[in-house]
Amino acid sequence: MLPRGPIERAHIILDSSVNHPSWRRRPVPSVKAGRAAMRGLGTMTRSARRAERTNAREMAFTAISDAVADLFHLADMYCFSPDEMVMLHHRTLSVPDNPLPIGTPRTLVWLTFTLGNVLQLAAAYDWAEEGVIDQARMHFDAELSERLSEQ
């Protein structure tokens, strides 16, 4: 059973990711670290696929876009938008040596590299990064609107 809130799920994803030895791999993020990040949620297992009655590729898209939305929620707690998170992710792919600005909070560093690893896992299932991010952004916006309407 999944934890209730996106922040709790995002922390599970982060903890699982940063414990993988390749979590900060560059210039190409690590599929294995992405898979480790998702393993903590249990959303990409055979039993989950059977319960959803879907194929692995479709299940991966749903699970990964949901996980990215959860990461966006945690970034939002640090006043970072989904666009800023994606921008930081792209910066890690293109800037050599120290890709993130000095003073970037540790959690945002973890979020940025975890986002890259999870998106690399999506690519391994033949999903375009933009499609996953767009779907995650739609989930994030809907959940944020729901959360704000409850306040």
Side-chain angles (χ1 to χ4, degrees), residues 69 72-73 76 80 82 135-145:
F72 287 164
H73 280 288
D76 185 57
F80 267 71
Q135 184 71 15
R137 191 174 283 121
M138 286 187 339
H139 285 299
F140 169 77
D141 289 342
E143 291 166 347
L144 187 61
S145 293

Side-chain angles (χ1 to χ4, degrees), residues 62-132:
T62 301
I64 292 168
S65 62
D66 286 350
V68 171
D70 293 341
L71 294 175
F72 287 164
H73 280 288
L74 187 56
D76 185 57
M77 286 184 57
Y78 289 87
C79 299
F80 267 71
S81 70
D83 289 336
E84 290 169 317
M85 282 304 307
V86 171
M87 181 191 70
L88 282 176
H89 159 62
H90 287 153
R91 184 180 163 114
T92 65
L93 299 177
S94 60
V95 176
D97 300 327
N98 294 317
L100 299 177
I102 293 173
T104 302
R106 179 182 303 156
T107 302
L108 287 176
V109 172
W110 292 350
L111 278 166
T112 302
F113 282 94
T114 299
L115 175 63
N117 292 334
V118 170
L119 291 173
Q120 190 67 23
L121 177 61
Y125 282 94
D126 230 9
W127 289 109
E129 181 177 292
E130 298 80 19
V132 174

Side-chain angles (χ1 to χ4, degrees), residues 2-84:
L2 283 175
R4 289 182 179 261
I7 302 301
E8 188 178 353
R9 290 190 304 265
H11 279 292
I12 291 169
I13 295 165
L14 277 184
D15 291 345
S16 299
S17 177
V18 300
N19 285 326
H20 192 276
S22 299
W23 79 275
R24 201 170 173 158
R25 193 175 99 184
R26 294 182 50 240
V28 177
S30 169
V31 170
K32 289 181 181 180
R35 194 177 318 277
M38 298 301 297
R39 193 172 294 128
L41 293 177
T43 56
M44 292 185 60
T45 62
R46 286 188 181 108
S47 60
R49 188 170 70 227
R50 278 189 221 105
E52 293 291 323
R53 296 176 187 224
T54 187
N55 64 43
R57 186 171 182 268
E58 294 294 325
M59 181 193 63
F61 180 79
T62 301
I64 292 168
S65 62
D66 286 350
V68 171
D70 293 341
L71 294 175
F72 287 164
H73 280 288
L74 187 56
D76 185 57
M77 286 184 57
Y78 289 87
C79 299
F80 267 71
S81 70
D83 289 336
E84 290 169 317

